[in-house]
Amino acid sequence: MSRMPSALLTLGVAVALVAATGSVPFQNASATSRSPSQTGLVYRDLHSAADRDCPTGFRSSTADPKTCTHGPDAAPSGVDVTRERTVTDLTAAAEATNTTTSDPSAVPCYGDGVSGRRVQAIYAVASDRPDRYAEVADLIRGYAGWVDQIFADSAAKTGGYRHVRWVTPNCNLDVAHVLLSASGDDSFSNTRNELAANGFSRSDRKYLVWVDATTYCGIADVHNDDQPSAQNRNNSGADYARVDTGCWGAAYSTEAHELMHLLGGVQLSAPHTTGAWHCTDQNDRMCYMDGGSTSSPQTYPCEVDSLTLFDCGNDDYFHTNPAPGSYLATHWNAAANVFLASDPSGSPTSQPVTETFTGSLSKRTPSRSFGVNVHGGTMTTRLSFTKASALRLTLRSADGSIVATSQGTSVLSQSVAVSDGYYNLTVSLPAGSGATFSASVEHL
């Protein structure tokens, strides 16, 4: 596909893009003369929460009581989301920013393209609007390719590789075609509910939805979870991000911004948090004055050429190799999200990782379980323990079925071939009064 050619846009190119499009990244809507509807600041079906799961965000009207969103992002200056964009308009804009493609394999593919945790691209349109899937599906593939490039370029800043694990059957990006009811595009809640009713509700999927509508710029789910572990809520689904036509395919990708929210950026504990799921140190794809609770003003430690990239200082939400003891080594780091792949070649990750779990067992607590996210291959567990003659080791898949089980004396070892997905490892005490154990799990 044809994309922006370098890992970092030059300052001249970035300035030229602003001049050509009249747009800059998200900004405080109060600084403009546009109405809330023109900026996409529509709060229909959203309710302030102020609780543990959603301390500064909103609840959407869904079946999930813990569903939280940061609320709608204001459209860039010069963008009126209520204005209809024709296919000609969309194509011209994509050509201007080099985000157009006719290649269905516009993004890397991993494994069989469908198993494990992946991002599903969706085109959704309400029944009272023209269905333009045939005309825009390839444009969406181009937008997805630009999103993927932004992740790759951002990872390159810290010497790493990251690509989105898209749904790519036969190595082609799948753009699902969803027809909503006439009210299905009226609010974020309606869109989420109807997608779930249509089967797009898998726990191993993040859903990036291009909605052919004129209500929002972008809006996404968020999770207030900054623990640096595989069990982090941002490591699972089903989660949704919606981008309407006014903000499709911009050079400063709204799609990349909303997908990053689904992956866990920016947590409220981040050093430069706005207090409303964004950051204060520009120039950055996730930073802008969002009206959050922090009194800190926006600062500009990075040049304008980093506006398309994530984490200006690589200290708030994205670093492929954070220093020991740093914030991103001790808190959630979106670069570690299992919906991203770390191999640039478009093949499954080949470097094994080792996780260690420790604990104790007693008659009152005879078992302990731990979650592990795996990209496929061989999973090897070594269990050492004291105070017990034998322990049992059981590996279950996400649906609860037993993949492998063994029982024996210390050191107990177990190796099994597994596919992409989430697994539950249980250490249990078959007999005796107690035990202390340490389990190391090596996997891809």
Side-chain angles (χ1 to χ4, degrees), residues 320-356:
T320 60
N321 188 27
S326 65
Y327 172 80
L328 287 178
T330 57
H331 295 76
W332 178 243
N333 177 8
N337 196 295
V338 296
F339 285 84
L340 299 176
S342 58
D343 185 353
S345 66
S347 57
T349 302
S350 58
Q351 294 299 316
V353 297
T354 300
E355 297 183 69
T356 301

PDB file of all heavy atoms in Angstrom, residues 320-356:
ATOM      1  N   THR A 320       8.633   0.450  24.268  1.00  0.00           N
ATOM      2  CA  THR A 320       8.867  -0.964  24.015  1.00  0.00           C
ATOM      3  C   THR A 320       9.904  -1.580  24.948  1.00  0.00           C
ATOM      4  O   THR A 320      10.023  -2.806  25.013  1.00  0.00           O
ATOM      5  CB  THR A 320       9.325  -1.187  22.555  1.00  0.00           C
ATOM      6  OG1 THR A 320      10.535  -0.456  22.316  1.00  0.00           O
ATOM      7  CG2 THR A 320       8.236  -0.737  21.581  1.00  0.00           C
ATOM      8  N   ASN A 321      10.635  -0.750  25.693  1.00  0.00           N
ATOM      9  CA  ASN A 321      11.642  -1.279  26.619  1.00  0.00           C
ATOM     10  C   ASN A 321      11.880  -0.280  27.747  1.00  0.00           C
ATOM     11  O   ASN A 321      12.952   0.323  27.849  1.00  0.00           O
ATOM     12  CB  ASN A 321      12.960  -1.565  25.882  1.00  0.00           C
ATOM     13  CG  ASN A 321      13.968  -2.278  26.743  1.00  0.00           C
ATOM     14  OD1 ASN A 321      13.624  -2.997  27.675  1.00  0.00           O
ATOM     15  ND2 ASN A 321      15.251  -2.085  26.441  1.00  0.00           N
ATOM     16  N   PRO A 322      10.889  -0.085  28.620  1.00  0.00           N
ATOM     17  CA  PRO A 322      11.029   0.925  29.669  1.00  0.00           C
ATOM     18  C   PRO A 322      12.109   0.557  30.679  1.00  0.00           C
ATOM     19  O   PRO A 322      12.359  -0.630  30.938  1.00  0.00           O
ATOM     20  CB  PRO A 322       9.641   0.935  30.323  1.00  0.00           C
ATOM     21  CG  PRO A 322       9.072  -0.419  30.043  1.00  0.00           C
ATOM     22  CD  PRO A 322       9.594  -0.788  28.685  1.00  0.00           C
ATOM     23  N   ALA A 323      12.751   1.562  31.225  1.00  0.00           N
ATOM     24  CA  ALA A 323      13.816   1.342  32.199  1.00  0.00           C
ATOM     25  C   ALA A 323      13.253   0.742  33.475  1.00  0.00           C
ATOM     26  O   ALA A 323      12.147   1.107  33.905  1.00  0.00           O
ATOM     27  CB  ALA A 323      14.525   2.663  32.503  1.00  0.00           C
ATOM     28  N   PRO A 324      13.993  -0.173  34.106  1.00  0.00           N
ATOM     29  CA  PRO A 324      13.525  -0.745  35.383  1.00  0.00           C
ATOM     30  C   PRO A 324      13.228   0.356  36.395  1.00  0.00           C
ATOM     31  O   PRO A 324      13.995   1.307  36.543  1.00  0.00           O
ATOM     32  CB  PRO A 324      14.713  -1.605  35.823  1.00  0.00           C
ATOM     33  CG  PRO A 324      15.418  -1.944  34.553  1.00  0.00           C
ATOM     34  CD  PRO A 324      15.280  -0.733  33.682  1.00  0.00           C
ATOM     35  N   GLY A 325      12.100   0.222  37.069  1.00  0.00           N
ATOM     36  CA  GLY A 325      11.721   1.197  38.084  1.00  0.00           C
ATOM     37  C   GLY A 325      10.987   2.405  37.557  1.00  0.00           C
ATOM     38  O   GLY A 325      10.439   3.185  38.336  1.00  0.00           O
ATOM     39  N   SER A 326      10.951   2.596  36.226  1.00  0.00           N
ATOM     40  CA  SER A 326      10.248   3.735  35.647  1.00  0.00           C
ATOM     41  C   SER A 326       8.740   3.517  35.731  1.00  0.00           C
ATOM     42  O   SER A 326       8.266   2.410  36.001  1.00  0.00           O
ATOM     43  CB  SER A 326      10.663   3.940  34.191  1.00  0.00           C
ATOM     44  OG  SER A 326      10.250   2.834  33.395  1.00  0.00           O
ATOM     45  N   TYR A 327       7.983   4.573  35.460  1.00  0.00           N
ATOM     46  CA  TYR A 327       6.529   4.461  35.535  1.00  0.00           C
ATOM     47  C   TYR A 327       6.005   3.342  34.650  1.00  0.00           C
ATOM     48  O   TYR A 327       5.182   2.523  35.074  1.00  0.00           O
ATOM     49  CB  TYR A 327       5.872   5.794  35.140  1.00  0.00           C
ATOM     50  CG  TYR A 327       4.361   5.676  35.023  1.00  0.00           C
ATOM     51  CD1 TYR A 327       3.557   5.707  36.148  1.00  0.00           C
ATOM     52  CD2 TYR A 327       3.751   5.509  33.774  1.00  0.00           C
ATOM     53  CE1 TYR A 327       2.174   5.553  36.047  1.00  0.00           C
ATOM     54  CE2 TYR A 327       2.372   5.361  33.658  1.00  0.00           C
ATOM     55  CZ  TYR A 327       1.593   5.390  34.810  1.00  0.00           C
ATOM     56  OH  TYR A 327       0.231   5.231  34.695  1.00  0.00           O
ATOM     57  N   LEU A 328       6.476   3.254  33.408  1.00  0.00           N
ATOM     58  CA  LEU A 328       5.947   2.258  32.487  1.00  0.00           C
ATOM     59  C   LEU A 328       6.466   0.852  32.768  1.00  0.00           C
ATOM     60  O   LEU A 328       5.933  -0.117  32.216  1.00  0.00           O
ATOM     61  CB  LEU A 328       6.251   2.657  31.043  1.00  0.00           C
ATOM     62  CG  LEU A 328       5.396   3.821  30.528  1.00  0.00           C
ATOM     63  CD1 LEU A 328       5.786   4.197  29.101  1.00  0.00           C
ATOM     64  CD2 LEU A 328       3.908   3.476  30.587  1.00  0.00           C
ATOM     65  N   ALA A 329       7.486   0.729  33.624  1.00  0.00           N
ATOM     66  CA  ALA A 329       7.927  -0.599  34.056  1.00  0.00           C
ATOM     67  C   ALA A 329       7.122  -1.079  35.251  1.00  0.00           C
ATOM     68  O   ALA A 329       7.065  -2.281  35.523  1.00  0.00           O
ATOM     69  CB  ALA A 329       9.408  -0.576  34.395  1.00  0.00           C
ATOM     70  N   THR A 330       6.473  -0.149  35.933  1.00  0.00           N
ATOM     71  CA  THR A 330       5.741  -0.497  37.157  1.00  0.00           C
ATOM     72  C   THR A 330       4.239  -0.252  37.033  1.00  0.00           C
ATOM     73  O   THR A 330       3.499  -0.482  37.988  1.00  0.00           O
ATOM     74  CB  THR A 330       6.285   0.307  38.346  1.00  0.00           C
ATOM     75  OG1 THR A 330       6.188   1.717  38.060  1.00  0.00           O
ATOM     76  CG2 THR A 330       7.746  -0.039  38.612  1.00  0.00           C
ATOM     77  N   HIS A 331       3.804   0.228  35.879  1.00  0.00           N
ATOM     78  CA  HIS A 331       2.385   0.473  35.618  1.00  0.00           C
ATOM     79  C   HIS A 331       2.052  -0.044  34.223  1.00  0.00           C
ATOM     80  O   HIS A 331       2.925  -0.517  33.505  1.00  0.00           O
ATOM     81  CB  HIS A 331       2.051   1.968  35.731  1.00  0.00           C
ATOM     82  CG  HIS A 331       2.219   2.521  37.109  1.00  0.00           C
ATOM     83  ND1 HIS A 331       3.461   2.804  37.637  1.00  0.00           N
ATOM     84  CD2 HIS A 331       1.300   2.840  38.074  1.00  0.00           C
ATOM     85  CE1 HIS A 331       3.309   3.273  38.876  1.00  0.00           C
ATOM     86  NE2 HIS A 331       2.023   3.300  39.157  1.00  0.00           N
ATOM     87  N   TRP A 332       0.804   0.084  33.836  1.00  0.00           N
ATOM     88  CA  TRP A 332       0.383  -0.431  32.540  1.00  0.00           C
ATOM     89  C   TRP A 332       1.086   0.301  31.409  1.00  0.00           C
ATOM     90  O   TRP A 332       1.147   1.529  31.364  1.00  0.00           O
ATOM     91  CB  TRP A 332      -1.120  -0.310  32.376  1.00  0.00           C
ATOM     92  CG  TRP A 332      -1.604  -0.794  31.034  1.00  0.00           C
ATOM     93  CD1 TRP A 332      -2.226  -0.073  30.069  1.00  0.00           C
ATOM     94  CD2 TRP A 332      -1.484  -2.129  30.526  1.00  0.00           C
ATOM     95  NE1 TRP A 332      -2.512  -0.871  28.975  1.00  0.00           N
ATOM     96  CE2 TRP A 332      -2.057  -2.137  29.233  1.00  0.00           C
ATOM     97  CE3 TRP A 332      -0.944  -3.319  31.026  1.00  0.00           C
ATOM     98  CZ2 TRP A 332      -2.109  -3.284  28.441  1.00  0.00           C
ATOM     99  CZ3 TRP A 332      -0.985  -4.454  30.233  1.00  0.00           C
ATOM    100  CH2 TRP A 332      -1.577  -4.436  28.969  1.00  0.00           C
ATOM    101  N   ASN A 333       1.616  -0.492  30.477  1.00  0.00           N
ATOM    102  CA  ASN A 333       2.327   0.006  29.309  1.00  0.00           C
ATOM    103  C   ASN A 333       1.609  -0.547  28.080  1.00  0.00           C
ATOM    104  O   ASN A 333       1.627  -1.761  27.830  1.00  0.00           O
ATOM    105  CB  ASN A 333       3.776  -0.483  29.358  1.00  0.00           C
ATOM    106  CG  ASN A 333       4.586  -0.075  28.150  1.00  0.00           C
ATOM    107  OD1 ASN A 333       4.127   0.705  27.304  1.00  0.00           O
ATOM    108  ND2 ASN A 333       5.800  -0.601  28.061  1.00  0.00           N
ATOM    109  N   ALA A 334       0.953   0.323  27.314  1.00  0.00           N
ATOM    110  CA  ALA A 334       0.164  -0.144  26.174  1.00  0.00           C
ATOM    111  C   ALA A 334       1.014  -0.878  25.139  1.00  0.00           C
ATOM    112  O   ALA A 334       0.490  -1.690  24.366  1.00  0.00           O
ATOM    113  CB  ALA A 334      -0.561   1.030  25.514  1.00  0.00           C
ATOM    114  N   ALA A 335       2.315  -0.633  25.115  1.00  0.00           N
ATOM    115  CA  ALA A 335       3.183  -1.341  24.176  1.00  0.00           C
ATOM    116  C   ALA A 335       3.274  -2.823  24.505  1.00  0.00           C
ATOM    117  O   ALA A 335       3.708  -3.621  23.671  1.00  0.00           O
ATOM    118  CB  ALA A 335       4.581  -0.722  24.179  1.00  0.00           C
ATOM    119  N   ALA A 336       2.864  -3.221  25.720  1.00  0.00           N
ATOM    120  CA  ALA A 336       2.881  -4.624  26.120  1.00  0.00           C
ATOM    121  C   ALA A 336       1.536  -5.295  25.874  1.00  0.00           C
ATOM    122  O   ALA A 336       1.375  -6.478  26.186  1.00  0.00           O
ATOM    123  CB  ALA A 336       3.255  -4.744  27.596  1.00  0.00           C
ATOM    124  N   ASN A 337       0.577  -4.578  25.307  1.00  0.00           N
ATOM    125  CA  ASN A 337      -0.749  -5.141  25.096  1.00  0.00           C
ATOM    126  C   ASN A 337      -0.681  -6.324  24.125  1.00  0.00           C
ATOM    127  O   ASN A 337      -0.020  -6.249  23.085  1.00  0.00           O
ATOM    128  CB  ASN A 337      -1.690  -4.067  24.550  1.00  0.00           C
ATOM    129  CG  ASN A 337      -3.139  -4.463  24.680  1.00  0.00           C
ATOM    130  OD1 ASN A 337      -3.595  -5.421  24.066  1.00  0.00           O
ATOM    131  ND2 ASN A 337      -3.885  -3.707  25.473  1.00  0.00           N
ATOM    132  N   VAL A 338      -1.395  -7.407  24.456  1.00  0.00           N
ATOM    133  CA  VAL A 338      -1.319  -8.614  23.628  1.00  0.00           C
ATOM    134  C   VAL A 338      -2.074  -8.477  22.312  1.00  0.00           C
ATOM    135  O   VAL A 338      -2.001  -9.364  21.459  1.00  0.00           O
ATOM    136  CB  VAL A 338      -1.835  -9.846  24.395  1.00  0.00           C
ATOM    137  CG1 VAL A 338      -0.956 -10.148  25.586  1.00  0.00           C
ATOM    138  CG2 VAL A 338      -3.284  -9.669  24.816  1.00  0.00           C
ATOM    139  N   PHE A 339      -2.796  -7.370  22.115  1.00  0.00           N
ATOM    140  CA  PHE A 339      -3.417  -7.115  20.816  1.00  0.00           C
ATOM    141  C   PHE A 339      -2.413  -6.528  19.827  1.00  0.00           C
ATOM    142  O   PHE A 339      -2.765  -6.236  18.691  1.00  0.00           O
ATOM    143  CB  PHE A 339      -4.617  -6.180  20.969  1.00  0.00           C
ATOM    144  CG  PHE A 339      -5.827  -6.860  21.551  1.00  0.00           C
ATOM    145  CD1 PHE A 339      -5.976  -7.001  22.922  1.00  0.00           C
ATOM    146  CD2 PHE A 339      -6.825  -7.366  20.725  1.00  0.00           C
ATOM    147  CE1 PHE A 339      -7.087  -7.631  23.460  1.00  0.00           C
ATOM    148  CE2 PHE A 339      -7.939  -8.000  21.248  1.00  0.00           C
ATOM    149  CZ  PHE A 339      -8.064  -8.138  22.627  1.00  0.00           C
ATOM    150  N   LEU A 340      -1.166  -6.342  20.271  1.00  0.00           N
ATOM    151  CA  LEU A 340      -0.088  -5.883  19.408  1.00  0.00           C
ATOM    152  C   LEU A 340       0.928  -6.997  19.224  1.00  0.00           C
ATOM    153  O   LEU A 340       1.149  -7.809  20.123  1.00  0.00           O
ATOM    154  CB  LEU A 340       0.609  -4.658  20.009  1.00  0.00           C
ATOM    155  CG  LEU A 340      -0.245  -3.414  20.237  1.00  0.00           C
ATOM    156  CD1 LEU A 340       0.585  -2.327  20.922  1.00  0.00           C
ATOM    157  CD2 LEU A 340      -0.827  -2.901  18.922  1.00  0.00           C
ATOM    158  N   ALA A 341       1.543  -7.045  18.047  1.00  0.00           N
ATOM    159  CA  ALA A 341       2.596  -8.014  17.758  1.00  0.00           C
ATOM    160  C   ALA A 341       3.939  -7.305  17.768  1.00  0.00           C
ATOM    161  O   ALA A 341       4.033  -6.128  17.409  1.00  0.00           O
ATOM    162  CB  ALA A 341       2.353  -8.669  16.406  1.00  0.00           C
ATOM    163  N   SER A 342       4.975  -8.009  18.180  1.00  0.00           N
ATOM    164  CA  SER A 342       6.301  -7.387  18.309  1.00  0.00           C
ATOM    165  C   SER A 342       7.290  -7.841  17.249  1.00  0.00           C
ATOM    166  O   SER A 342       8.470  -7.547  17.334  1.00  0.00           O
ATOM    167  CB  SER A 342       6.887  -7.698  19.695  1.00  0.00           C
ATOM    168  OG  SER A 342       6.972  -9.089  19.907  1.00  0.00           O
ATOM    169  N   ASP A 343       6.821  -8.556  16.221  1.00  0.00           N
ATOM    170  CA  ASP A 343       7.687  -9.002  15.143  1.00  0.00           C
ATOM    171  C   ASP A 343       7.381  -8.209  13.879  1.00  0.00           C
ATOM    172  O   ASP A 343       6.253  -8.232  13.394  1.00  0.00           O
ATOM    173  CB  ASP A 343       7.456 -10.493  14.891  1.00  0.00           C
ATOM    174  CG  ASP A 343       8.410 -11.073  13.847  1.00  0.00           C
ATOM    175  OD1 ASP A 343       9.162 -10.292  13.232  1.00  0.00           O
ATOM    176  OD2 ASP A 343       8.392 -12.288  13.664  1.00  0.00           O
ATOM    177  N   PRO A 344       8.365  -7.497  13.309  1.00  0.00           N
ATOM    178  CA  PRO A 344       8.096  -6.654  12.137  1.00  0.00           C
ATOM    179  C   PRO A 344       7.867  -7.427  10.853  1.00  0.00           C
ATOM    180  O   PRO A 344       7.412  -6.870   9.865  1.00  0.00           O
ATOM    181  CB  PRO A 344       9.364  -5.804  12.027  1.00  0.00           C
ATOM    182  CG  PRO A 344      10.441  -6.701  12.562  1.00  0.00           C
ATOM    183  CD  PRO A 344       9.789  -7.444  13.703  1.00  0.00           C
ATOM    184  N   SER A 345       8.173  -8.707  10.845  1.00  0.00           N
ATOM    185  CA  SER A 345       8.126  -9.450   9.588  1.00  0.00           C
ATOM    186  C   SER A 345       6.725  -9.911   9.216  1.00  0.00           C
ATOM    187  O   SER A 345       6.505 -10.411   8.118  1.00  0.00           O
ATOM    188  CB  SER A 345       9.042 -10.675   9.687  1.00  0.00           C
ATOM    189  OG  SER A 345       8.551 -11.594  10.650  1.00  0.00           O
ATOM    190  N   GLY A 346       5.768  -9.776  10.127  1.00  0.00           N
ATOM    191  CA  GLY A 346       4.422 -10.246   9.833  1.00  0.00           C
ATOM    192  C   GLY A 346       4.273 -11.724  10.101  1.00  0.00           C
ATOM    193  O   GLY A 346       3.482 -12.403   9.467  1.00  0.00           O
ATOM    194  N   SER A 347       5.037 -12.241  11.055  1.00  0.00           N
ATOM    195  CA  SER A 347       4.901 -13.628  11.491  1.00  0.00           C
ATOM    196  C   SER A 347       4.785 -13.625  13.005  1.00  0.00           C
ATOM    197  O   SER A 347       5.104 -12.635  13.657  1.00  0.00           O
ATOM    198  CB  SER A 347       6.112 -14.455  11.064  1.00  0.00           C
ATOM    199  OG  SER A 347       7.303 -13.899  11.577  1.00  0.00           O
ATOM    200  N   PRO A 348       4.326 -14.706  13.615  1.00  0.00           N
ATOM    201  CA  PRO A 348       4.137 -14.700  15.058  1.00  0.00           C
ATOM    202  C   PRO A 348       5.413 -14.377  15.815  1.00  0.00           C
ATOM    203  O   PRO A 348       6.517 -14.670  15.372  1.00  0.00           O
ATOM    204  CB  PRO A 348       3.661 -16.136  15.364  1.00  0.00           C
ATOM    205  CG  PRO A 348       3.081 -16.606  14.072  1.00  0.00           C
ATOM    206  CD  PRO A 348       3.898 -15.959  12.999  1.00  0.00           C
ATOM    207  N   THR A 349       5.267 -13.763  16.981  1.00  0.00           N
ATOM    208  CA  THR A 349       6.400 -13.421  17.829  1.00  0.00           C
ATOM    209  C   THR A 349       7.231 -14.662  18.124  1.00  0.00           C
ATOM    210  O   THR A 349       6.709 -15.705  18.497  1.00  0.00           O
ATOM    211  CB  THR A 349       5.896 -12.815  19.151  1.00  0.00           C
ATOM    212  OG1 THR A 349       5.101 -11.678  18.851  1.00  0.00           O
ATOM    213  CG2 THR A 349       7.046 -12.409  20.044  1.00  0.00           C
ATOM    214  N   SER A 350       8.550 -14.565  17.936  1.00  0.00           N
ATOM    215  CA  SER A 350       9.409 -15.725  18.102  1.00  0.00           C
ATOM    216  C   SER A 350      10.212 -15.699  19.395  1.00  0.00           C
ATOM    217  O   SER A 350      10.848 -16.683  19.743  1.00  0.00           O
ATOM    218  CB  SER A 350      10.362 -15.841  16.912  1.00  0.00           C
ATOM    219  OG  SER A 350      11.135 -14.659  16.779  1.00  0.00           O
ATOM    220  N   GLN A 351      10.240 -14.587  20.111  1.00  0.00           N
ATOM    221  CA  GLN A 351      11.002 -14.490  21.342  1.00  0.00           C
ATOM    222  C   GLN A 351      10.137 -14.904  22.534  1.00  0.00           C
ATOM    223  O   GLN A 351       9.128 -14.280  22.823  1.00  0.00           O
ATOM    224  CB  GLN A 351      11.506 -13.057  21.534  1.00  0.00           C
ATOM    225  CG  GLN A 351      12.518 -12.610  20.494  1.00  0.00           C
ATOM    226  CD  GLN A 351      13.762 -13.469  20.501  1.00  0.00           C
ATOM    227  OE1 GLN A 351      14.297 -13.786  21.561  1.00  0.00           O
ATOM    228  NE2 GLN A 351      14.230 -13.856  19.324  1.00  0.00           N
ATOM    229  N   PRO A 352      10.526 -15.972  23.254  1.00  0.00           N
ATOM    230  CA  PRO A 352       9.723 -16.408  24.394  1.00  0.00           C
ATOM    231  C   PRO A 352       9.824 -15.428  25.556  1.00  0.00           C
ATOM    232  O   PRO A 352      10.820 -14.715  25.709  1.00  0.00           O
ATOM    233  CB  PRO A 352      10.331 -17.762  24.752  1.00  0.00           C
ATOM    234  CG  PRO A 352      11.749 -17.673  24.279  1.00  0.00           C
ATOM    235  CD  PRO A 352      11.706 -16.824  23.048  1.00  0.00           C
ATOM    236  N   VAL A 353       8.807 -15.393  26.360  1.00  0.00           N
ATOM    237  CA  VAL A 353       8.801 -14.597  27.578  1.00  0.00           C
ATOM    238  C   VAL A 353       8.573 -15.539  28.754  1.00  0.00           C
ATOM    239  O   VAL A 353       7.989 -16.619  28.600  1.00  0.00           O
ATOM    240  CB  VAL A 353       7.711 -13.507  27.563  1.00  0.00           C
ATOM    241  CG1 VAL A 353       7.955 -12.525  26.447  1.00  0.00           C
ATOM    242  CG2 VAL A 353       6.331 -14.127  27.424  1.00  0.00           C
ATOM    243  N   THR A 354       9.048 -15.142  29.921  1.00  0.00           N
ATOM    244  CA  THR A 354       8.875 -15.955  31.124  1.00  0.00           C
ATOM    245  C   THR A 354       8.153 -15.137  32.180  1.00  0.00           C
ATOM    246  O   THR A 354       8.563 -14.011  32.490  1.00  0.00           O
ATOM    247  CB  THR A 354      10.231 -16.433  31.673  1.00  0.00           C
ATOM    248  OG1 THR A 354      10.890 -17.222  30.684  1.00  0.00           O
ATOM    249  CG2 THR A 354      10.027 -17.265  32.928  1.00  0.00           C
ATOM    250  N   GLU A 355       7.068 -15.672  32.678  1.00  0.00           N
ATOM    251  CA  GLU A 355       6.333 -15.056  33.773  1.00  0.00           C
ATOM    252  C   GLU A 355       6.480 -15.927  35.012  1.00  0.00           C
ATOM    253  O   GLU A 355       6.514 -17.163  34.920  1.00  0.00           O
ATOM    254  CB  GLU A 355       4.852 -14.898  33.421  1.00  0.00           C
ATOM    255  CG  GLU A 355       4.591 -13.987  32.242  1.00  0.00           C
ATOM    256  CD  GLU A 355       3.104 -13.802  31.982  1.00  0.00           C
ATOM    257  OE1 GLU A 355       2.430 -13.155  32.816  1.00  0.00           O
ATOM    258  OE2 GLU A 355       2.616 -14.312  30.964  1.00  0.00           O
ATOM    259  N   THR A 356       6.571 -15.299  36.179  1.00  0.00           N
ATOM    260  CA  THR A 356       6.741 -16.028  37.437  1.00  0.00           C
ATOM    261  C   THR A 356       5.588 -15.714  38.378  1.00  0.00           C
ATOM    262  O   THR A 356       5.216 -14.548  38.563  1.00  0.00           O
ATOM    263  CB  THR A 356       8.071 -15.658  38.113  1.00  0.00           C
ATOM    264  OG1 THR A 356       9.151 -15.966  37.230  1.00  0.00           O
ATOM    265  CG2 THR A 356       8.257 -16.439  39.402  1.00  0.00           C
TER     266      THR A 356
END
